[in-house]
Amino acid sequence: MENKKNKVFDLTLFKRLLLYIKPYRSVFIVSLICVIGLAVFGALRPLVLQIAIDDHIAVKQYDGFLFYVILMLVLLILEVVSQLFFIYYANWLGQSIVKDIRVKLYDHVLRFRMKYYDSSSVGVLITRTVTDMERIAAIFGEGLFMIFSDLLKMLVVGGMMFYMNWKLSLIAFITMPIVLFATKIFQRYMKRAFEEVRNEVSNLNSFVQERVTGMKILQLFTREDTEFNKFKAINERHKRGWLKTVWYNSVFFPIADLLSSITLGTIIWVGGLMVVIQGTATEGNLFAFIMYVPMLFRPLNQIANKFNTLQMGMVAADRVFRVLDTTSQIDDSGTAIATEFNGDISFKDVHFSYVEDEEVLQGISLEVEAGQTIAIVGSTGAGKSTIINLLNRFYDIRDGTICIDGIDTKSLTLKSLRSQIAVVLQDVFLFADTILNNITLKDDTISEETVIQAAKDIGIHDFISSLPNGYHYNVKERGAMLSSGQRQLISFLRAYVTNPSILVLDEATSSVDSYSEQLIQDATDKITQGRTSIVIAHRLATIQQADQIIVMDAGKIVEKGTHTELLKVEKGYYRNLYEVQFLKAEAS
């Protein structure tokens, strides 16, 4: 890894990036032709000037002089046209490649298992899919082709200079190794600086994204000043990272300009002597060399500058490819397709841990018959929600089996498995979109009429209709325009319209008002009839009618039975929970 970091240019990474050019080979070829045109047309102009001066101006022969003036103009126009097409097609190519990589990256990220998101920063992922992608696009628009163009121009110009006057050209060639050495040192330091900048950009994005999301908590606990000071510190590190790049630029480019000016001055001095005294050079040679020297040295500066762009793009590409190379997907090798479940669920000696050697479920075994409503209760951290996560295969179990209708869930395709299980979570997430789109998630098979009828069935149609634009009301980011109870009702309707074979309510009534809770309770009674349902609840009053109650503690099932049966257990876990809640209710 250290060797990779010390590389000035990672050829393996670059080759991988070039693979994305294949669908756009024709555009790539057009861009290369334009690059060649830029180099050739630019290098021919001083040659035409030299001929015009030596063959016409110096000897005062004006016949045919107009031809060279027109030829200079034509070359200039061709150079401008080549540049126009190059800029357009090179940037078009860059954006097209980035579009393909971004789509591939997003598709890859969509299929990551939940464990990946448990330990990954959202801000870093946003940086990878947005900011880093623009850096990659710049490789083609401003980096790769421009470097090739500059190198080609230097090669053509150097050849022209040597052809015209090898003695004068040697003056320029002697200086070149010094500039090239300085360029190499500059590139090495710039690569390190850009890696530091990208790290700080990721840190900055992560920090801002997290604080903006949790702004209510910061203000509730008056942490504004503390977080502001933290932001200033991160921003300061970000500034220092960029200032390193500025410092390296401020050192390199003046040195390069100084060497160019010294070379030009020496050529004018020596060339002047050769013209006036020795007669081994012509006035045309001297004028052409005055044009050629900037054309030879300017690309060196541009190569260094464009190499910065290339380096930043390569650093960004390395980060993006690392995400693409991450194998954190749930195994979706199952081939069986579940069109509909009867609803028999079986957990057999299931062991699971989020962190290695820290078991959350310790040999869980339970049976749920089709059409039953079971409730899972227990203290926080007992493993209740983990059972739901495993049923949907958000995580893979370590040992044991989970079957639905006697079929191991691993043998089912993930899409068909999850399409038959609807989950209503305690923490409801709504997108910045209309209520209708948040319910259907833009599933074309669910019509607006179906959603309206479903809302009427569970008694929330009036509430939605009372909002501005009704079902087309935009709830803004995370459903900020709705109360927690209203968001929960929308989430409940979202689960209901999919007509699931299995319904899961994970603390679905824990954060709603009594009116919303009653609406959900009535709807629950309606849609759980004849459908396997799993209810996780802290409020025991909402699960008394369950066919079976599973009591969990520290990753184990400690009690099973109906509400009545469990209350008869002396010093039982469930009975203790019920009595504590009953006493609290009495006290209030």
Side-chain angles (χ1 to χ4, degrees), residues 3 15-16 28 32 36 83 121 169 178 189 234 239 251 283 327-328 343 358 366-367 379 415 420 448 462 473 503 558:
N3 290 336
K15 287 180 179 178
R16 182 176 179 182
F28 180 74
L32 280 180
I36 295 172
Q83 188 170 23
S121 165
S169 63
I178 302 173
Y189 280 97
I234 294 175
K239 183 194 77 173
V251 170
E283 290 88 344
T327 53
S328 186
E358 295 182 17
L366 63 90
E367 301 288 334
S379 60
K415 185 176 182 179
Q420 295 300 316
E448 184 173 352
D462 292 340
Y473 178 63
L503 177 68
V558 293

mmCIF file of all heavy atoms in Angstrom, residues 3 15-16 28 32 36 83 121 169 178 189 234 239 251 283 327-328 343 358 366-367 379 415 420 448 462 473 503 558:
data_model
loop_
_atom_site.group_PDB
_atom_site.id
_atom_site.type_symbol
_atom_site.label_atom_id
_atom_site.label_comp_id
_atom_site.label_asym_id
_atom_site.label_seq_id
_atom_site.Cartn_x
_atom_site.Cartn_y
_atom_site.Cartn_z
ATOM 1 N N ASN A 3 3.908 1.539 -1.164
ATOM 2 C CA ASN A 3 4.514 1.696 -2.486
ATOM 3 C C ASN A 3 3.557 2.333 -3.461
ATOM 4 O O ASN A 3 3.919 3.147 -4.288
ATOM 5 C CB ASN A 3 4.958 0.327 -3.013
ATOM 6 C CG ASN A 3 6.150 -0.208 -2.240
ATOM 7 O OD1 ASN A 3 6.897 0.559 -1.645
ATOM 8 N ND2 ASN A 3 6.324 -1.531 -2.239
ATOM 9 N N LYS A 15 -5.099 2.265 -16.526
ATOM 10 C CA LYS A 15 -5.592 1.300 -17.511
ATOM 11 C C LYS A 15 -7.030 0.893 -17.202
ATOM 12 O O LYS A 15 -7.854 0.729 -18.110
ATOM 13 C CB LYS A 15 -4.692 0.064 -17.525
ATOM 14 C CG LYS A 15 -3.332 0.280 -18.171
ATOM 15 C CD LYS A 15 -2.508 -0.993 -18.131
ATOM 16 C CE LYS A 15 -1.154 -0.803 -18.800
ATOM 17 N NZ LYS A 15 -0.323 -2.046 -18.718
ATOM 18 N N ARG A 16 -7.318 0.727 -15.944
ATOM 19 C CA ARG A 16 -8.688 0.362 -15.551
ATOM 20 C C ARG A 16 -9.658 1.472 -15.920
ATOM 21 O O ARG A 16 -10.775 1.215 -16.375
ATOM 22 C CB ARG A 16 -8.737 0.086 -14.049
ATOM 23 C CG ARG A 16 -10.099 -0.351 -13.552
ATOM 24 C CD ARG A 16 -10.061 -0.707 -12.092
ATOM 25 N NE ARG A 16 -11.383 -1.111 -11.630
ATOM 26 C CZ ARG A 16 -11.666 -1.452 -10.367
ATOM 27 N NH1 ARG A 16 -10.703 -1.475 -9.465
ATOM 28 N NH2 ARG A 16 -12.883 -1.796 -10.027
ATOM 29 N N PHE A 28 -13.470 9.351 -28.767
ATOM 30 C CA PHE A 28 -12.075 9.354 -28.315
ATOM 31 C C PHE A 28 -11.130 9.610 -29.489
ATOM 32 O O PHE A 28 -10.187 10.405 -29.389
ATOM 33 C CB PHE A 28 -11.757 8.015 -27.650
ATOM 34 C CG PHE A 28 -10.350 7.889 -27.142
ATOM 35 C CD1 PHE A 28 -9.940 8.560 -25.997
ATOM 36 C CD2 PHE A 28 -9.414 7.118 -27.817
ATOM 37 C CE1 PHE A 28 -8.645 8.460 -25.530
ATOM 38 C CE2 PHE A 28 -8.118 7.002 -27.361
ATOM 39 C CZ PHE A 28 -7.731 7.676 -26.203
ATOM 40 N N LEU A 32 -8.576 12.751 -30.233
ATOM 41 C CA LEU A 32 -7.146 12.584 -30.525
ATOM 42 C C LEU A 32 -6.748 13.319 -31.796
ATOM 43 O O LEU A 32 -5.684 13.938 -31.864
ATOM 44 C CB LEU A 32 -6.816 11.094 -30.659
ATOM 45 C CG LEU A 32 -6.643 10.302 -29.366
ATOM 46 C CD1 LEU A 32 -6.314 8.851 -29.674
ATOM 47 C CD2 LEU A 32 -5.553 10.915 -28.493
ATOM 48 N N ILE A 36 -3.945 16.247 -32.177
ATOM 49 C CA ILE A 36 -2.859 16.267 -33.176
ATOM 50 C C ILE A 36 -2.917 17.554 -33.993
ATOM 51 O O ILE A 36 -1.882 18.184 -34.289
ATOM 52 C CB ILE A 36 -2.953 15.023 -34.079
ATOM 53 C CG1 ILE A 36 -2.712 13.760 -33.253
ATOM 54 C CG2 ILE A 36 -1.959 15.124 -35.229
ATOM 55 C CD1 ILE A 36 -2.983 12.467 -34.004
ATOM 56 N N GLN A 83 -9.227 23.336 -31.495
ATOM 57 C CA GLN A 83 -9.385 23.558 -30.062
ATOM 58 C C GLN A 83 -10.854 23.521 -29.655
ATOM 59 O O GLN A 83 -11.212 22.966 -28.617
ATOM 60 C CB GLN A 83 -8.769 24.895 -29.676
ATOM 61 C CG GLN A 83 -8.720 25.113 -28.166
ATOM 62 C CD GLN A 83 -7.889 26.333 -27.800
ATOM 63 O OE1 GLN A 83 -7.711 27.236 -28.620
ATOM 64 N NE2 GLN A 83 -7.396 26.379 -26.583
ATOM 65 N N SER A 121 -19.376 6.210 6.668
ATOM 66 C CA SER A 121 -19.865 7.582 6.758
ATOM 67 C C SER A 121 -20.696 7.934 5.528
ATOM 68 O O SER A 121 -20.257 7.701 4.399
ATOM 69 C CB SER A 121 -18.690 8.548 6.889
ATOM 70 O OG SER A 121 -19.090 9.870 6.645
ATOM 71 N N SER A 169 18.788 25.630 -31.268
ATOM 72 C CA SER A 169 17.899 24.704 -30.547
ATOM 73 C C SER A 169 18.592 24.054 -29.354
ATOM 74 O O SER A 169 17.953 23.724 -28.355
ATOM 75 C CB SER A 169 17.369 23.625 -31.499
ATOM 76 O OG SER A 169 18.422 22.826 -32.005
ATOM 77 N N ILE A 178 16.576 20.468 -16.745
ATOM 78 C CA ILE A 178 16.377 21.126 -15.449
ATOM 79 C C ILE A 178 14.882 21.296 -15.170
ATOM 80 O O ILE A 178 14.401 21.016 -14.069
ATOM 81 C CB ILE A 178 17.094 22.497 -15.426
ATOM 82 C CG1 ILE A 178 18.585 22.323 -15.715
ATOM 83 C CG2 ILE A 178 16.871 23.184 -14.086
ATOM 84 C CD1 ILE A 178 19.337 23.632 -15.874
ATOM 85 N N TYR A 189 5.315 15.841 -4.979
ATOM 86 C CA TYR A 189 4.788 16.556 -3.808
ATOM 87 C C TYR A 189 3.314 16.914 -3.984
ATOM 88 O O TYR A 189 2.546 16.910 -3.016
ATOM 89 C CB TYR A 189 5.618 17.822 -3.548
ATOM 90 C CG TYR A 189 6.913 17.535 -2.826
ATOM 91 C CD1 TYR A 189 8.109 17.401 -3.521
ATOM 92 C CD2 TYR A 189 6.941 17.390 -1.445
ATOM 93 C CE1 TYR A 189 9.299 17.122 -2.866
ATOM 94 C CE2 TYR A 189 8.126 17.113 -0.775
ATOM 95 C CZ TYR A 189 9.301 16.983 -1.497
ATOM 96 O OH TYR A 189 10.475 16.704 -0.835
ATOM 97 N N ILE A 234 -11.663 21.570 11.533
ATOM 98 C CA ILE A 234 -11.652 20.737 10.318
ATOM 99 C C ILE A 234 -11.429 21.603 9.090
ATOM 100 O O ILE A 234 -10.672 21.253 8.182
ATOM 101 C CB ILE A 234 -12.977 19.961 10.201
ATOM 102 C CG1 ILE A 234 -13.101 18.950 11.343
ATOM 103 C CG2 ILE A 234 -13.072 19.250 8.863
ATOM 104 C CD1 ILE A 234 -14.420 18.224 11.383
ATOM 105 N N LYS A 239 -8.027 23.916 4.765
ATOM 106 C CA LYS A 239 -7.327 25.066 4.186
ATOM 107 C C LYS A 239 -5.826 24.798 4.087
ATOM 108 O O LYS A 239 -5.197 25.086 3.064
ATOM 109 C CB LYS A 239 -7.565 26.310 5.051
ATOM 110 C CG LYS A 239 -6.943 27.580 4.485
ATOM 111 C CD LYS A 239 -6.903 28.700 5.500
ATOM 112 C CE LYS A 239 -5.785 28.483 6.508
ATOM 113 N NZ LYS A 239 -5.603 29.642 7.406
ATOM 114 N N VAL A 251 5.998 27.976 -6.043
ATOM 115 C CA VAL A 251 7.440 27.761 -6.182
ATOM 116 C C VAL A 251 7.783 27.314 -7.595
ATOM 117 O O VAL A 251 8.715 27.826 -8.224
ATOM 118 C CB VAL A 251 7.932 26.714 -5.154
ATOM 119 C CG1 VAL A 251 9.381 26.310 -5.453
ATOM 120 C CG2 VAL A 251 7.810 27.253 -3.743
ATOM 121 N N GLU A 283 17.294 36.082 -40.178
ATOM 122 C CA GLU A 283 16.316 36.824 -39.379
ATOM 123 C C GLU A 283 15.054 35.990 -39.160
ATOM 124 O O GLU A 283 14.438 36.033 -38.087
ATOM 125 C CB GLU A 283 15.945 38.134 -40.085
ATOM 126 C CG GLU A 283 17.057 39.177 -40.119
ATOM 127 C CD GLU A 283 17.963 39.011 -41.350
ATOM 128 O OE1 GLU A 283 17.907 37.920 -41.981
ATOM 129 O OE2 GLU A 283 18.741 39.941 -41.639
ATOM 130 N N THR A 327 -16.625 -5.810 -1.510
ATOM 131 C CA THR A 327 -17.590 -6.913 -1.621
ATOM 132 C C THR A 327 -18.344 -7.002 -0.303
ATOM 133 O O THR A 327 -17.943 -7.712 0.605
ATOM 134 C CB THR A 327 -16.882 -8.239 -1.925
ATOM 135 O OG1 THR A 327 -15.853 -8.447 -0.950
ATOM 136 C CG2 THR A 327 -16.262 -8.202 -3.305
ATOM 137 N N SER A 328 -19.418 -6.244 -0.219
ATOM 138 C CA SER A 328 -20.209 -6.214 1.011
ATOM 139 C C SER A 328 -21.675 -6.496 0.716
ATOM 140 O O SER A 328 -22.559 -6.008 1.398
ATOM 141 C CB SER A 328 -20.055 -4.844 1.685
ATOM 142 O OG SER A 328 -20.701 -4.830 2.938
ATOM 143 N N GLY A 343 -47.010 -18.136 4.961
ATOM 144 C CA GLY A 343 -46.661 -17.382 6.160
ATOM 145 C C GLY A 343 -46.108 -18.194 7.292
ATOM 146 O O GLY A 343 -45.949 -17.676 8.407
ATOM 147 N N GLU A 358 -19.356 -11.132 19.642
ATOM 148 C CA GLU A 358 -20.351 -10.478 20.508
ATOM 149 C C GLU A 358 -21.743 -10.866 20.018
ATOM 150 O O GLU A 358 -22.383 -10.141 19.282
ATOM 151 C CB GLU A 358 -20.178 -8.954 20.483
ATOM 152 C CG GLU A 358 -18.871 -8.473 21.070
ATOM 153 C CD GLU A 358 -18.752 -6.956 21.062
ATOM 154 O OE1 GLU A 358 -19.805 -6.279 20.912
ATOM 155 O OE2 GLU A 358 -17.632 -6.434 21.188
ATOM 156 N N LEU A 366 -37.797 -20.607 17.025
ATOM 157 C CA LEU A 366 -39.223 -20.293 17.186
ATOM 158 C C LEU A 366 -39.984 -20.725 15.943
ATOM 159 O O LEU A 366 -39.424 -20.814 14.868
ATOM 160 C CB LEU A 366 -39.438 -18.815 17.482
ATOM 161 C CG LEU A 366 -39.024 -17.765 16.439
ATOM 162 C CD1 LEU A 366 -40.167 -17.473 15.478
ATOM 163 C CD2 LEU A 366 -38.603 -16.473 17.131
ATOM 164 N N GLU A 367 -41.257 -21.006 16.130
ATOM 165 C CA GLU A 367 -42.137 -21.416 15.042
ATOM 166 C C GLU A 367 -43.353 -20.488 15.011
ATOM 167 O O GLU A 367 -43.978 -20.237 16.047
ATOM 168 C CB GLU A 367 -42.608 -22.863 15.227
ATOM 169 C CG GLU A 367 -41.484 -23.901 15.283
ATOM 170 C CD GLU A 367 -40.837 -24.124 13.935
ATOM 171 O OE1 GLU A 367 -41.522 -23.889 12.912
ATOM 172 O OE2 GLU A 367 -39.656 -24.541 13.900
ATOM 173 N N SER A 379 -36.444 -6.070 26.731
ATOM 174 C CA SER A 379 -35.762 -4.804 26.966
ATOM 175 C C SER A 379 -34.966 -4.380 25.741
ATOM 176 O O SER A 379 -34.757 -5.165 24.820
ATOM 177 C CB SER A 379 -34.829 -4.932 28.177
ATOM 178 O OG SER A 379 -33.858 -5.942 27.926
ATOM 179 N N LYS A 415 -34.939 -10.141 -3.961
ATOM 180 C CA LYS A 415 -36.038 -9.284 -4.398
ATOM 181 C C LYS A 415 -37.391 -9.915 -4.115
ATOM 182 O O LYS A 415 -38.303 -9.255 -3.587
ATOM 183 C CB LYS A 415 -35.897 -8.987 -5.891
ATOM 184 C CG LYS A 415 -36.937 -8.010 -6.413
ATOM 185 C CD LYS A 415 -36.686 -7.665 -7.873
ATOM 186 C CE LYS A 415 -37.712 -6.649 -8.382
ATOM 187 N NZ LYS A 415 -37.459 -6.281 -9.803
ATOM 188 N N GLN A 420 -42.335 -9.772 -0.407
ATOM 189 C CA GLN A 420 -43.446 -10.419 0.283
ATOM 190 C C GLN A 420 -43.514 -10.060 1.767
ATOM 191 O O GLN A 420 -44.390 -10.529 2.482
ATOM 192 C CB GLN A 420 -43.330 -11.947 0.139
ATOM 193 C CG GLN A 420 -43.480 -12.451 -1.282
ATOM 194 C CD GLN A 420 -44.836 -12.094 -1.868
ATOM 195 O OE1 GLN A 420 -45.869 -12.236 -1.214
ATOM 196 N NE2 GLN A 420 -44.828 -11.603 -3.104
ATOM 197 N N GLU A 448 -52.865 5.355 -8.121
ATOM 198 C CA GLU A 448 -53.320 6.328 -7.121
ATOM 199 C C GLU A 448 -54.663 5.899 -6.541
ATOM 200 O O GLU A 448 -54.921 6.086 -5.342
ATOM 201 C CB GLU A 448 -53.426 7.714 -7.755
ATOM 202 C CG GLU A 448 -53.806 8.807 -6.764
ATOM 203 C CD GLU A 448 -53.733 10.196 -7.361
ATOM 204 O OE1 GLU A 448 -53.238 10.336 -8.497
ATOM 205 O OE2 GLU A 448 -54.171 11.153 -6.673
ATOM 206 N N ASP A 462 -59.041 10.906 5.171
ATOM 207 C CA ASP A 462 -59.446 12.276 5.537
ATOM 208 C C ASP A 462 -58.246 13.124 5.941
ATOM 209 O O ASP A 462 -58.165 14.311 5.602
ATOM 210 C CB ASP A 462 -60.472 12.229 6.666
ATOM 211 C CG ASP A 462 -61.795 11.629 6.216
ATOM 212 O OD1 ASP A 462 -62.036 11.603 4.989
ATOM 213 O OD2 ASP A 462 -62.568 11.181 7.089
ATOM 214 N N TYR A 473 -49.086 16.292 -1.902
ATOM 215 C CA TYR A 473 -48.432 17.219 -0.977
ATOM 216 C C TYR A 473 -46.977 16.806 -0.787
ATOM 217 O O TYR A 473 -46.677 15.649 -0.489
ATOM 218 C CB TYR A 473 -49.161 17.205 0.366
ATOM 219 C CG TYR A 473 -48.558 18.090 1.427
ATOM 220 C CD1 TYR A 473 -48.492 19.468 1.256
ATOM 221 C CD2 TYR A 473 -48.067 17.546 2.618
ATOM 222 C CE1 TYR A 473 -47.952 20.283 2.242
ATOM 223 C CE2 TYR A 473 -47.529 18.348 3.606
ATOM 224 C CZ TYR A 473 -47.465 19.715 3.414
ATOM 225 O OH TYR A 473 -46.935 20.524 4.385
ATOM 226 N N LEU A 503 -46.440 -9.312 7.520
ATOM 227 C CA LEU A 503 -46.408 -7.913 7.965
ATOM 228 C C LEU A 503 -45.596 -7.818 9.245
ATOM 229 O O LEU A 503 -45.783 -8.616 10.171
ATOM 230 C CB LEU A 503 -47.820 -7.393 8.211
ATOM 231 C CG LEU A 503 -47.946 -5.967 8.758
ATOM 232 C CD1 LEU A 503 -47.493 -4.959 7.710
ATOM 233 C CD2 LEU A 503 -49.375 -5.677 9.198
ATOM 234 N N VAL A 558 -36.786 -16.248 26.531
ATOM 235 C CA VAL A 558 -36.926 -16.687 27.928
ATOM 236 C C VAL A 558 -38.342 -17.151 28.242
ATOM 237 O O VAL A 558 -38.542 -17.928 29.185
ATOM 238 C CB VAL A 558 -36.509 -15.559 28.888
ATOM 239 C CG1 VAL A 558 -35.012 -15.276 28.767
ATOM 240 C CG2 VAL A 558 -37.296 -14.277 28.649
#
